[in-house]
Amino acid sequence: MATSQVTASLRNLSTFERFQPKTTLRFHSVEHVRIGTLTQNSFPSLVVKAATVVAPKHTTVSPLGDRVLVKIKDAEEKTAGGILLPATAQSKPQGGEVVAVGEGKSVGKNKVDISVKTGAEVVYSKYAGTEVEFNDSKHLILKDDDIIGILETDEVKDLKPLNDRVLIKVADAEEKTAGGLLLTEATKEKPSIGTVIAVGPGPLDEEGNRKPLSIVPGNTVLYSKYAGNDFKGKDDSNYIALRASEVMAILS
């Protein structure tokens, strides 16, 4: 290959590099270079190194569809009743303030709006959503269906369940075994019976209409042993919020 051809090819390669500012090309020797046929196999010593792209600092997040953006409450910001934390009081917070909502979703022929409004204090499912941090605060993007209910007071018994959720006051654990032995807190069997305090408006059917729940406040129910989210009220009573499908039977 003539020297002038190599020079021309290298000039074209320089043009190619100018249009690839985030890639570094380095090779130890060049003999026959044809721009249209450059491959990694053509140059065993060719190194392609992608530069790190630093994303700009975002100050606004706009959720889409049925997503909701919640500003997470810090653990030390829990209410006087402690209802923003699970009963263990050691898990990550499950409550926060709604700061933005999506446009809703279509179910069948109907448009279904988000069930919460900006500014509402809500409780959401454990492990739900995706955590993001901006404006020096932690936020969570989650689906509308992952929100358990709306907190209108500091009393957990006043929680307003959403969708197909049910709020239950848990029956007290047995203090003694059948043989009369006293049980410690660690060995007490977790109750799976309680009294329904409040119910949500029901799930959506295929046409986007609400289907009322068959469970009503006042029912004594048996529910799945490890279902739902646990909370402790200001009166030291235990509560659980779960889906209606996790309630197995009504007791009478």
Side-chain angles (χ1 to χ4, degrees):
M1 189 172 187
T3 302
S4 59
Q5 290 177 312
V6 174
T7 303
S9 297
L10 289 176
R11 185 180 299 114
N12 290 337
L13 181 58
S14 297
T15 302
F16 171 79
E17 289 178 336
R18 284 200 298 270
F19 286 98
Q20 303 294 327
K22 295 188 188 322
T23 302
T24 301
L25 298 178
R26 183 178 75 250
F27 38 103
H28 293 245
S29 62
V30 177
E31 292 182 3
H32 302 287
V33 180
R34 185 172 297 173
I35 299 305
T37 59
L38 281 175
T39 66
Q40 180 70 43
N41 293 331
S42 302
F43 303 99
S45 59
L46 178 63
V47 177
V48 180
K49 182 179 180 182
T52 302
V53 179
V54 179
K57 185 176 181 180
H58 299 290
T59 57
T60 302
V61 176
S62 300
L64 299 176
D66 61 343
R67 260 63 176 199
V68 177
L69 180 65
V70 176
K71 183 178 179 181
I72 300 173
K73 289 283 188 183
D74 293 331
E76 60 270 18
E77 292 181 351
K78 64 182 181 291
T79 64
I83 60 176
L84 291 183
L85 291 175
T88 60
Q90 299 298 322
S91 301
K92 68 177 184 179
Q94 290 173 235
E97 179 187 353
V98 175
V99 294
V101 300
E103 67 275 14
K105 64 179 180 179
S106 295
V107 180
K109 297 181 180 179
N110 294 329
K111 178 70 177 295
V112 180
D113 294 329
I114 300 296
S115 55
V116 294
K117 304 296 183 183
T118 302
E121 295 285 339
V122 297
V123 172
Y124 46 80
S125 298
K126 290 182 291 189
Y127 316 119
T130 300
E131 190 172 302
V132 294
E133 188 169 344
F134 64 96
N135 291 344
D136 298 322
S137 298
K138 291 183 178 180
H139 295 72
L140 196 68
I141 299 177
L142 66 165
K143 288 188 174 183
D144 180 45
D145 189 56
D146 289 325
I147 297 177
I148 296 172
I150 300 173
L151 286 171
E152 296 181 337
T153 72
D154 283 346
E155 289 277 5
V156 66
K157 65 182 181 181
D158 295 328
L159 177 72
K160 180 182 178 182
L162 297 177
N163 301 312
D164 62 340
R165 296 310 205 288
V166 178
L167 178 66
I168 296 172
K169 183 177 181 180
V170 179
D172 292 334
E174 291 293 333
E175 297 289 340
K176 295 182 180 180
T177 66
L181 295 176
L182 290 175
L183 296 175
T184 64
E185 288 297 325
T187 57
K188 287 180 184 178
E189 184 75 9
K190 179 182 178 181
S192 55
I193 295 176
T195 302
V196 176
I197 302 300
V199 301
L204 296 170
D205 62 19
E206 295 179 354
E207 296 300 321
N209 300 310
R210 292 288 178 186
K211 184 179 179 181
L213 299 177
S214 58
I215 306 166
V216 297
N219 284 156
T220 299
V221 295
L222 175 70
Y223 54 86
S224 298
K225 198 168 191 178
Y226 299 105
N229 296 70
D230 300 314
F231 303 96
K232 184 173 287 291
K234 294 176 71 173
D235 58 355
D236 285 333
S237 296
N238 293 314
Y239 295 82
I240 187 169
L242 37 70
R243 293 187 183 275
S245 60
E246 295 169 323
V247 176
M248 298 186 291
I250 297 175
L251 306 178
S252 60

